[in-house]
Amino acid sequence: MLTLYGRPNSSNSAKVFWLLDELGADWRLEPAGRGFGPTDTPEFREMNPFGKVPVLKDGETVVWESHAILRYLGTREPTALWPEGAAARSRIDRWMDWAAISFTPPLTRLRKARGAGGSGEADLPAVLAGARALDGWLARHRYLAGGDLSLADIAASPSVHRWFRLPEAAEALPNLARYRDDLARNPGYCRHIRDALS
Ligand SMILES: N[C@@H](CCC(=O)N[C@@H](CS)C(=O)NCC(=O)O)C(=O)O
């Protein structure tokens, strides 16, 4: 059985919960992270030197970094979510990197700034540019990597969900809204992302 150290209100854990359920994996949650369980113990730091969740344990194999975990699980149990072949994987991987590097960080800073009473002005342009680019792409593609749900959609899902919680989402981005509605037909998205993340 797989063990996932994480917490239900963590966006990076939530992506992995969704994939584990999507794969029908045999797994259990070991509650860890802020408010759920210590990550500053020598044992936890031996697994992840940064003391962050999620961390996956598969027998002797330990994996941290949520997107590395998604790729590990996708490779361990091949499905259309992470199809074989360099070209097919690169179509997915680029969106995973883009979400992790270019879209989620300014969105997270914006949310934190506003949560602390600020405007988040410094990060708003990057967030808007990301959402508009997504909208343009999704006018021509049902999912991020093409016609099928993939690890790219799971990786980007917390930020897509959180975009729609911003007042700026009232701006008409119809293709992004259609995409969010398509994701919401997936029970794993609803359970672990839509209904679990603020
Ligand atoms: N880049 C890492 C980020 C991991 C991360 O920052 N995790 C947060 C939760 S989303 C965390 O561990 N926060 C501290 C805590 O919960 O104790 C990943 O994608 O896994």
Side-chain angles (χ1 to χ4, degrees):
M1 182 188 287
L2 299 165
T3 302
L4 202 273
Y5 295 78
R7 52 180 171 87
N9 56 354
S10 136
S11 58
N12 290 306
S13 304
K15 303 170 206 175
V16 182
F17 300 154
W18 180 11
L19 178 60
L20 286 163
D21 282 357
E22 196 69 29
L23 293 172
D26 186 19
W27 68 284
R28 69 176 193 91
L29 174 66
E30 184 65 43
R34 199 177 319 115
F36 287 81
T39 57
D40 54 357
T41 60
E43 294 76 22
F44 195 93
R45 294 280 167 156
E46 186 56 32
M47 292 195 299
N48 182 349
F50 301 102
K52 301 281 189 192
V53 293
V55 174
L56 177 76
K57 205 154 185 266
D58 178 13
E60 295 301 303
T61 303
V62 172
V63 192
W64 46 269
E65 274 297 327
S66 58
H67 292 188
I69 298 172
L70 296 182
R71 284 186 286 263
Y72 174 82
L73 290 170
T75 305
R76 183 181 181 271
E77 193 163 345
T79 65
L81 294 166
W82 185 235
E84 293 200 23
R89 287 194 172 173
S90 90
R91 278 193 287 277
I92 297 168
D93 222 8
R94 68 191 69 167
W95 283 107
M96 296 174 76
D97 278 9
W98 175 79
I101 295 165
S102 299
F103 192 46
T104 301
L107 180 60
T108 303
R109 286 192 300 267
L110 176 80
R111 286 163 42 86
K112 276 196 181 144
R114 288 185 176 175
S119 69
E121 196 183 344
D123 288 295
L124 187 57
V127 173
L128 287 174
R132 287 175 187 148
L134 275 174
D135 187 68
W137 179 259
L138 292 165
R140 303 183 306 286
H141 306 273
R142 181 163 183 213
Y143 292 105
L144 292 179
D148 298 311
L149 187 77
S150 75
L151 293 194
D153 305 292
I154 294 177
S157 63
S159 294
V160 169
H161 163 70
R162 285 176 164 167
W163 156 258
F164 281 100
R165 299 180 70 88
L166 298 180
E168 285 78 7
E171 168 185 1
L173 295 179
N175 308 300
L176 191 48
R178 185 276 304 156
Y179 172 69
R180 183 269 321 265
D181 292 346
D182 276 357
L183 292 180
R185 291 199 187 89
N186 181 297
Y189 171 82
C190 294
R191 176 167 179 218
H192 297 299
I193 308 292
R194 186 194 68 185
D195 299 343
L197 300 181
S198 61

